[in-house]
Amino acid sequence: MRNILASNRRHLLAAAASAALLAMSPMALAQDAWPNKPVKIVVPFAPGGTTDILARAMAPELTKAFGQPFVVDNRGGAGGNVGADIVAKSPADGYTLLMGTVGTHGINKALYAKLPYEPQKDFAPITLVAGVPNVMVMNADKARALNINSVADFVKYARANPGKLNMASSGNGTSIHLAGELFKSMTGIFMTHIPYRGSGPALLDMVGGNMDVMFDNLPSSMPHIKSGKLKAFAVTSGQRSTALPDIPTVEEAGKLKGFEASSWFGLLAPAGTPPDIVNRIQQEVAKSLNTQAIKEKLQAQGAIPGGMSPQEFTRFIDAEHKKWAAVVKASGAKVD
């Protein structure tokens, strides 16, 4: 009888344990184990641009912190919308992240007639990685041939030769595109806009002499400025960049009061991603951005390290929507 009671007790305990395990949601179990496989960081542009540079700077730091590979996956197209949409529709389990930009989460909602995702509802903001100014660059050989040495020279030539200059961008709706549109509207000049699938391929054509001017993110243009292949005329931020202290702002150089069109880049996850996963990623990114090595690496390229909390980043994105909606309206830019 005692053996039967003991056996029954064991069965009851086993059943209770099984019931407890069944009661735990798959998401809760996944949270406890996260990450137990590689994590993908989707870059919504081609390799070689600033979004890609920053993602590849963060990936090894997160790999070290979590013990699982963080792999960059470039998915360019439609001004960042293709990659952003992939992440928006991915499982909210912490294994697919987006290196979002001012374009995907600040500009595109106002610029595109229809987006396949909702920037504020379909994502869980994690943290701002970095903010960077854009820089107005021209192919150095063309600048010399046309005797263009400044913003004033450029505007004078463009007014006298409407449509003869081509303006490259990393895609419709990116900050690079919109900075150029703002410049066009404030100076009254016309340039033909040529969108690419990211800064990388656009810069190849800039350096090769197939494109004339670009309002590129500073980090991706910096090596070509230093090599002398591109001539920097001005930065698009409100203040000069510490990475190029001798280069004026567009406002200074072109006497364009109020001109400012800087870029930012940050990590986001699909909406519904468990808050503890979001917080863990934010903490490790902030820790990495605070190391001297990463600070120096970003600042040398003109990037200002971020590290905002998820709540701060959410408020920041909300404010960016309002700001860029006004800029898009003023510039008249629109993409169907």
Side-chain angles (χ1 to χ4, degrees):
M1 182 71 170
R2 185 177 299 156
N3 287 341
I4 293 171
L5 288 172
S7 177
N8 286 342
R9 187 166 180 271
R10 282 196 298 273
H11 284 304
L12 286 169
L13 288 171
S18 296
L21 282 172
L22 287 171
M24 291 179 69
S25 69
M27 187 59 76
L29 291 169
Q31 283 178 244
D32 291 340
W34 186 91
N36 58 20
K37 62 180 181 180
V39 177
K40 183 165 60 178
I41 302 176
V42 173
V43 169
F45 298 100
T50 299
T51 319
D52 186 64
I53 290 169
L54 292 174
R56 293 183 190 279
M58 285 294 100
E61 299 297 317
L62 292 171
T63 296
K64 280 189 287 184
F66 291 109
Q68 287 287 345
F70 278 67
V71 182
V72 174
D73 182 15
N74 295 89
R75 298 294 189 96
N81 293 339
V82 171
D85 188 46
I86 288 170
V87 177
K89 292 176 172 59
S90 294
D93 55 9
Y95 289 99
T96 306
L97 309 177
L98 176 73
M99 183 60 84
T101 70
V102 63
T104 61
H105 282 76
I107 295 172
N108 288 3
K109 188 175 180 180
L111 188 71
Y112 283 80
K114 190 174 182 182
L115 280 186
Y117 63 92
E118 170 50 57
Q120 289 161 289
K121 293 180 181 177
D122 292 346
F123 295 86
I126 298 173
T127 190
L128 179 75
V129 173
V132 302
N134 291 4
V135 59
M136 181 183 179
V137 289
M138 188 172 182
N139 177 277
D141 291 335
K142 285 197 173 185
R144 278 191 292 271
L146 297 174
N147 198 28
I148 297 176
N149 300 301
S150 65
V151 172
D153 288 344
F154 185 92
V155 172
K156 183 179 178 181
Y157 179 88
R159 282 178 177 160
N161 300 275
K164 284 193 176 180
L165 294 172
N166 291 324
M167 180 184 78
S169 83
S170 54
N172 285 319
T174 61
S175 69
I176 294 169
H177 169 211
L178 203 58
E181 292 295 340
L182 185 61
F183 184 81
K184 285 162 65 176
S185 70
M186 291 182 74
T187 56
I189 64 172
F190 172 71
M191 299 181 285
T192 303
H193 173 225
I194 309 294
Y196 287 76
R197 291 172 67 88
S199 281
L203 283 169
L204 285 176
D205 271 1
M206 281 288 297
V207 170
N210 298 317
M211 288 288 112
D212 301 316
V213 67
M214 188 173 176
F215 290 77
D216 190 33
N217 302 143
L218 184 51
S220 46
S221 271
M222 185 67 84
H224 305 295
I225 294 169
K226 287 182 175 178
S227 72
K229 298 284 181 63
L230 296 180
K231 182 172 180 61
F233 290 139
V235 292
T236 64
S237 48
Q239 297 180 325
R240 294 192 182 200
S241 169
T242 54
L244 292 173
D246 295 330
I247 302 299
T249 66
V250 171
E251 182 178 41
E252 290 174 323
K255 296 182 173 58
L256 300 175
K257 188 171 176 56
F259 187 102
E260 183 175 0
S262 297
S263 300
W264 55 261
F265 307 83
L267 282 172
L268 303 100
T273 299
D276 68 321
I277 292 177
V278 168
N279 289 329
R280 286 172 64 192
I281 297 171
Q282 184 274 328
Q283 288 161 12
E284 292 301 333
V285 170
K287 195 185 299 181
S288 297
L289 291 172
N290 205 35
T291 63
Q292 199 59 31
I294 294 293
K295 270 185 182 177
E296 288 176 0
K297 186 174 182 179
L298 296 187
Q299 289 171 351
Q301 300 183 72
I304 302 165
M308 290 177 179
S309 71
Q311 295 76 21
E312 289 170 331
F313 193 30
T314 299
R315 290 193 292 271
F316 176 80
I317 289 172
D318 290 343
E320 286 291 285
H321 272 295
K322 293 175 184 174
K323 169 189 169 181
W324 285 102
V327 173
V328 168
K329 185 176 180 180
S331 71
K334 211 69 183 169
V335 179
D336 292 329

